[in-house]
Amino acid sequence: MKQILIGVMLLGGMIQGAFAQNWEIKGNVCDARRQEALEFANVVLKTLDSTFVAGTTTDAQGRFLFNKVQKGDYILSVSSLGFQTEHISLIGLSKNTYLGKITLLDDTVSLEGVTISASAQTSRADKKVVFPSDRQVKASGNGMDLLQQMMLPQVQVDLLNSEIKAVGNGVVQLRINGVKVEQSEIKALNPSDIIRIEYHDNPGLRYGNADIVLDYIVRRPDTGGSFGMDMAQGINALWGEHNVRGKINHKNSEWGASYNIGPRDFYGMKRNNEEEFHLANGKTLNRVELGEPSHARLFMHNLNVNYSYQKPDKYMFNATFRYRNNHQPHWDYKGILMNKENPEDKVEMVDLSGSDYQTPALDLYYQQNLKHNQTLVFNVVGTYNQTGSSRFYQESRQGQLLTDINNKVNGDKYSIIGEAVYEKKLANGNRWSSGFYHSHSFSDNSYINEHNYKTHMKQMDSYLYAEFAGKMKRLDYTLGIKVNRSAYSQQGEEMDYEHYTVTPRLTLFYALPGESSIRLKSSIENVSPSLSELSAIDQVIDSLQIQRGNPSLKSYMSYYTELNYEFRKGLLYINAIGAYEYQPDAIMDEKRLEGNKVIQTWDNQKNWQRITAFANFRIGPVKDILQFSLNGGVNHYISNGNAYTHRYTNWWCQADASVTWKKWSLGYMVMTNWNWFKGETMSGGENFQGLQLGYRHKDLMVGMRVFNPFTDNYKQETENWNRYASFHRSNYIKESSKLFVATVAYNFSFGRNYHAAQKKINNADNDSGVMNAGK
């Protein structure tokens, strides 16, 4: 009897095990309009009475997987911000199920009778993933235009200087499919090839000192290629931005090249300057410089040649050769120097500068995807920076020469940067990352004036870091730590240093009800002096002032805390930020007297603080026609030097509007200056306006832009509040007011599309290591 009972129990267990067998559910999620994979889409498995069973998000290829699902009846819900939710019925699940491609349609919502296309944006702890709309693509001629149309918070697009900037003097890092690029390559992008922009407004430790990372994820042909050009030419002044680029793909290989030129030739540049000197002999001199129209000429060109070989999901090799050259033969000022208290006491002044800067670089990159969601990356970059500059300064009265300065600088800098990164994706969206970075640079500079100075400098920076990203329900968090070593030496000087620091980083991101979130991030960074600040040489500025490097400078720490609130509902988007930054022993400028000369130099001062608050309000698009954005805020700076204390407050704002109707687009931007104050110097931003009109026909877009259409007083202002030698300086460029520019963009591509593998890290050395002297 006992044996029979045991047999029945075993049989019952086998039957129960058979009925309790677990199954897999998997599939792929993509955008129905673009036919591209959707990353971070939410996939939820529920019973028929809406009881939650399991949930996950899609990976970079749009894939998802549920395992250990018991037999039964289920509903699968797939959703993503900016798309309609898809519900899939799974009745009688009793086997492994592959759902194939699940497509999501663009979402529209109705608000009081107005149809609004939902913003295709999702926010994470470290980044925002933003999908451009058809309206934004049609209104854009290149990748920089598209960025302006998307109106991202904390990002400024300066069309006059052809630059992408971060609000608040931050560092912007640009990438295409993960590969670090120059701004000229962003301008060369075809907007219709851009799938999304991954906007990292809280970059991890592996991004170095970047404050914002903009990664353009673009299509590329499997077999075939693309060609494009983008031209912007001034009509009433010589101002231009011209780019041509092409790519050829075959199987696993891609060859690409791009070339960009940017000529400038102005004859209406001038400088007004008021200086007040309190000299050691007790004499006070208040000198006013009245500028006269002078010549400014600049020619920039960039060449990029790239080859990559990849096997998707396995490995990728990328080799890029970059060459950048800035040739500036004229940056000239002339005018009258007048004693303010005695206007008859005046002299004639000329201040003529020229420079040539060229940088070839070779970037080698290898990425290996390992089993169990592991990635290994190696990157080596070699760079040569060659700099040549000259400055000719004279003061004369009635033909009699009073001051004659002729400075020349020749610099050669060699650097190599190496980095290795390991990443591991864990369960439940957690991630582990660690890496090693090392840069080694050598700089040989010659400064020729009354003397012939030569400097031989060596600088090294290394760090190890580890970072963990995790999730707990609505809370995302990131914990990181970096151990940094910085070292510097200069031949013939005894002020060499070697400095070690440990810097942690913490980010907390909490998803609030609805489409809103709050994020707190706090970091500590090591800041090293530049080679130009460390150079132990003198550069004569004028008859009263000398600039001098300081080889005794030491690196210092920067403490930063930021609270970020984000809200989105219907056509309204709000992003508000409050931040505090504290830098003890910060390297800041100072001036001191030696006889009747004023010495301008740098030193480790007591501390520098910045308190800032700003907000971005974005409305639209309304009926897919109108979009409007308003940014504004305040900065309060506190500079505590060894011999001075200064406070400065600056209010600023920026407004953008975009209107699109059929094949026409109209845009307007106005920006007041964000001023930066550190040490004793206020560096002024720009008051800028821009108006642009465009017309698109298939792959061709033509247009007209007007820079500063409603003002003829474009200028940049700088102030210094030193007790020995203060100044208030304004630089003007007449041609930048009411500057009319004609634009043409044409893009052509052929072949099939697919996702390219993405580089995980990128490095570059753009510091020439040379100290330039001038007003």
Side-chain angles (χ1 to χ4, degrees):
M1 185 66 178
K2 184 176 180 181
Q3 291 177 340
I4 295 175
L5 289 174
I6 294 174
V8 170
M9 292 174 62
L10 289 174
L11 179 61
M14 293 172 64
I15 294 173
Q16 183 182 13
F19 280 99
Q21 185 170 356
N22 297 323
W23 307 104
E24 288 186 350
I25 304 172
K26 59 183 179 180
N28 295 75
V29 181
C30 72
D31 176 354
R33 178 165 58 91
R34 299 181 180 87
Q35 289 298 305
E36 300 293 344
L38 285 180
E39 187 179 9
F40 305 125
N42 295 309
V43 186
V44 178
L45 187 66
K46 298 179 288 186
T47 62
L48 295 183
D49 61 355
S50 299
T51 301
F52 178 86
V53 177
T56 187
T57 57
T58 57
D59 63 13
Q61 285 74 43
R63 299 173 300 194
F64 68 88
L65 170 66
F66 293 107
N67 52 32
K68 299 183 179 179
V69 179
Q70 296 183 6
K71 177 182 177 180
D73 299 329
Y74 301 97
I75 295 292
L76 188 76
S77 297
V78 184
S79 62
S80 184
L81 193 60
F83 297 87
Q84 297 179 19
T85 300
E86 184 76 15
H87 300 284
I88 300 172
S89 177
L90 298 172
I91 305 298
L93 179 73
S94 60
K95 62 180 180 179
N96 291 335
T97 301
Y98 175 62
L99 298 174
K101 183 184 292 186
I102 302 171
T103 56
L104 300 186
L105 299 173
D106 287 348
D107 189 21
T108 58
V109 298
S110 179
L111 183 62
E112 296 181 357
V114 180
T115 301
I116 305 153
S117 296
S119 174
Q121 173 178 314
T122 181
S123 296
R124 313 284 292 183
D126 60 338
K127 66 181 177 182
K128 297 174 175 61
V129 181
V130 189
F131 293 87
S133 68
D134 284 338
R135 183 199 68 82
Q136 293 167 336
V137 170
K138 290 177 181 178
S140 307
N142 56 54
M144 190 175 289
D145 289 348
L146 182 62
L147 185 65
Q148 184 188 28
Q149 287 288 330
M150 297 175 79
M151 301 180 186
L152 298 177
Q154 304 183 62
V155 177
Q156 293 179 329
V157 180
D158 183 348
L159 296 177
L160 177 61
N161 297 302
S162 192
E163 293 179 350
I164 299 172
K165 303 177 180 178
V167 169
N169 207 31
V171 178
V172 178
Q173 189 179 108
L174 299 171
R175 301 176 178 225
I176 298 176
N177 285 339
V179 178
K180 189 175 181 181
V181 297
E182 301 288 338
Q183 302 209 21
S184 59
E185 295 172 78
I186 298 298
K187 291 200 67 177
L189 287 176
N190 181 353
S192 61
D193 286 340
I194 298 171
I195 302 168
R196 65 182 185 272
I197 295 179
E198 296 188 354
Y199 167 39
H200 300 254
D201 57 348
N202 180 32
L205 290 172
R206 61 186 176 88
Y207 292 100
N209 66 337
D211 296 288
I212 288 177
V213 177
L214 297 172
D215 192 358
Y216 287 71
I217 307 303
V218 305
R219 301 173 177 86
R220 68 178 243 185
D222 186 13
T223 300
S226 62
F227 169 81
M229 71 171 190
D230 184 274
M231 304 182 69
Q233 181 58 54
I235 297 175
N236 55 333
L238 183 51
W239 179 99
E241 283 288 332
H242 311 297
N243 186 290
V244 61
R245 62 111 173 97
K247 284 184 178 181
I248 296 293
N249 298 77
H250 181 65
K251 295 183 179 179
N252 297 322
S253 294
E254 177 182 87
W255 296 265
S258 66
Y259 180 65
N260 179 79
I261 59 174
R264 311 279 194 273
D265 201 359
F266 303 142
Y267 287 88
M269 184 179 76
K270 69 174 185 176
R271 179 179 69 199
N272 290 340
N273 187 25
E274 182 173 346
E275 299 174 297
E276 184 172 320
F277 298 95
H278 298 272
L279 304 178
N281 58 7
K283 182 180 179 180
T284 298
L285 174 62
N286 194 334
R287 189 165 66 174
V288 177
E289 175 184 334
L290 302 176
E292 299 175 2
S294 305
H295 190 196
R297 185 179 182 187
L298 173 64
F299 188 83
M300 304 170 287
H301 61 102
N302 298 274
L303 172 68
N304 294 273
V305 180
N306 170 269
Y307 171 76
S308 66
Y309 183 88
Q310 62 178 1
K311 286 193 175 182
D313 300 324
K314 291 186 178 180
Y315 61 84
M316 172 186 179
F317 170 75
N318 186 88
T320 302
F321 173 77
R322 301 184 179 95
Y323 177 77
R324 185 176 68 172
N325 179 266
N326 285 1
H327 180 56
Q328 185 177 293
H330 294 282
W331 205 260
D332 303 339
Y333 297 101
K334 61 181 179 181
I336 301 296
L337 291 179
M338 179 185 69
N339 187 335
K340 190 174 182 179
E341 296 183 358
N342 181 12
E344 299 301 321
D345 180 13
K346 55 187 177 181
V347 299
E348 299 173 351
M349 180 275 302
V350 294
D351 190 352
L352 315 177
S353 299
S355 64
D356 190 78
Y357 175 84
Q358 55 183 334
T359 305
L362 181 63
D363 184 332
L364 301 176
Y365 174 94
Y366 179 76
Q367 176 179 321
Q368 179 72 56
N369 297 327
L370 306 173
K371 295 180 180 180
H372 309 299
N373 293 315
Q374 299 177 97
T375 303
L376 193 59
V377 174
F378 299 96
N379 186 219
V380 178
V381 181
T383 306
Y384 169 56
N385 290 276
Q386 185 183 61
T387 304
S389 65
S390 62
R391 179 171 180 259
F392 177 75
Y393 180 88
Q394 284 188 342
E395 297 175 10
S396 60
R397 180 185 288 117
Q398 297 178 351
Q400 182 180 0
L401 189 63
L402 303 177
T403 302
D404 186 16
I405 298 171
N406 191 355
N407 292 335
K408 293 184 179 180
V409 181
N410 296 309
D412 295 286
K413 182 185 176 186
Y414 307 85
S415 71
I416 188 165
I417 300 173
E419 188 168 9
V421 170
Y422 168 79
E423 287 187 336
K424 166 71 173 175
K425 292 183 179 179
L426 306 171
N428 302 319
N430 298 337
R431 187 185 72 251
W432 169 266
S433 176
S434 60
F436 171 74
Y437 169 94
H438 178 74
S439 68
H440 208 119
S441 61
F442 304 87
S443 181
D444 295 323
N445 302 323
S446 297
Y447 298 84
I448 304 170
N449 40 52
E450 296 178 357
H451 306 280
N452 190 347
Y453 298 98
K454 290 188 177 182
T455 62
H456 304 276
M457 297 178 290
K458 180 171 64 174
Q459 191 172 34
M460 293 170 286
D461 276 293
S462 306
Y463 62 77
L464 287 165
Y465 80 88
E467 194 169 51
F468 178 81
K471 292 176 65 68
M472 293 189 302
K473 296 183 179 180
R474 288 179 174 266
L475 177 68
D476 289 24
Y477 62 93
T478 304
L479 294 169
I481 189 167
K482 182 166 65 174
V483 180
N484 187 89
R485 173 188 179 269
S486 57
Y488 161 80
S489 65
Q490 182 172 175
Q491 185 174 316
E493 297 292 327
E494 298 181 358
M495 298 296 184
D496 301 353
Y497 74 81
E498 184 177 32
H499 191 59
Y500 290 86
T501 56
V502 178
T503 57
R505 176 177 293 190
L506 169 67
T507 299
L508 300 175
F509 177 89
Y510 189 79
L512 299 172
E515 298 180 26
S516 61
S517 62
I518 189 168
R519 183 183 67 197
L520 173 68
K521 70 174 182 180
S522 184
S523 63
I524 303 174
E525 297 290 341
N526 178 72
V527 183
S528 298
S530 67
L531 289 178
S532 59
E533 294 170 334
L534 291 162
S535 300
I537 56 97
D538 286 3
Q539 284 275 69
V540 180
I541 299 174
D542 56 25
S543 57
L544 295 173
Q545 301 176 89
I546 296 173
Q547 182 170 282
R548 177 180 297 165
N550 183 1
S552 64
L553 295 175
K554 305 296 183 183
S555 61
Y556 60 94
M557 307 299 289
S558 177
Y559 302 85
Y560 182 80
T561 299
E562 174 187 293
L563 185 63
N564 184 313
Y565 173 73
E566 187 175 65
F567 172 83
R568 181 170 50 248
K569 185 173 183 179
L571 54 74
L572 177 63
Y573 172 83
I574 299 174
N575 183 256
I577 293 177
Y580 174 70
E581 189 171 4
Y582 176 66
Q583 297 178 352
D585 302 316
I587 295 174
M588 299 191 291
D589 58 296
E590 69 175 28
K591 298 179 183 179
R592 57 178 179 264
L593 295 178
E594 287 187 4
N596 284 321
K597 296 289 185 181
V598 177
I599 308 300
Q600 300 183 8
T601 186
W602 299 270
D603 204 351
N604 290 96
Q605 309 291 345
K606 291 180 180 177
N607 62 72
W608 176 82
Q609 301 172 64
R610 175 169 66 104
I611 305 168
T612 184
F614 60 91
N616 167 252
F617 299 87
R618 190 171 68 231
I619 301 175
V622 179
K623 288 187 177 296
D624 209 26
I625 295 176
L626 171 66
Q627 183 170 317
F628 176 79
S629 176
L630 176 65
N631 294 270
V634 61
N635 303 293
H636 182 68
Y637 303 93
I638 304 171
S639 283
N640 292 316
N642 298 326
Y644 59 79
T645 296
H646 300 300
R647 291 174 177 264
Y648 175 74
T649 302
N650 164 240
W651 291 86
W652 66 278
C653 70
Q654 175 183 338
D656 294 84
S658 174
V659 180
T660 304
W661 177 252
K662 296 183 178 179
K663 296 183 178 182
W664 292 92
S665 61
L666 177 67
Y668 177 71
M669 180 183 74
V670 59
M671 178 175 63
T672 66
N673 49 325
W674 173 302
N675 295 338
W676 185 261
F677 190 92
K678 194 166 188 178
E680 297 191 282
T681 303
M682 186 278 290
S683 302
E686 304 170 59
N687 290 315
F688 176 79
Q689 300 174 48
L691 182 66
Q692 54 185 346
L693 176 68
Y695 177 81
R696 174 176 290 280
H697 177 69
K698 296 182 179 179
D699 292 326
L700 175 68
M701 186 169 185
V702 296
M704 177 68 68
R705 294 175 182 164
V706 188
F707 295 133
N708 299 306
F710 308 116
T711 180
D712 58 359
N713 191 33
Y714 173 82
K715 63 182 178 181
Q716 287 183 294
E717 294 186 307
T718 308
E719 295 182 21
N720 183 275
W721 297 356
N722 182 260
R723 58 178 173 169
Y724 300 120
S726 62
F727 65 77
H728 184 175
R729 182 179 306 139
S730 300
N731 291 338
Y732 301 82
I733 299 180
K734 180 180 179 181
E735 287 87 348
S736 63
S737 297
K738 297 180 175 66
L739 173 61
F740 288 81
V741 176
T743 63
V744 178
Y746 176 74
N747 293 280
F748 172 74
S749 60
F750 54 94
R752 295 178 287 117
N753 294 327
Y754 72 101
H755 280 292
Q758 298 180 35
K759 288 178 65 174
K760 299 291 185 181
I761 57 173
N762 289 277
N763 300 290
D765 181 6
N766 296 315
D767 176 16
S768 66
V770 168
M771 180 173 68
N772 293 316
K775 294 187 179 181

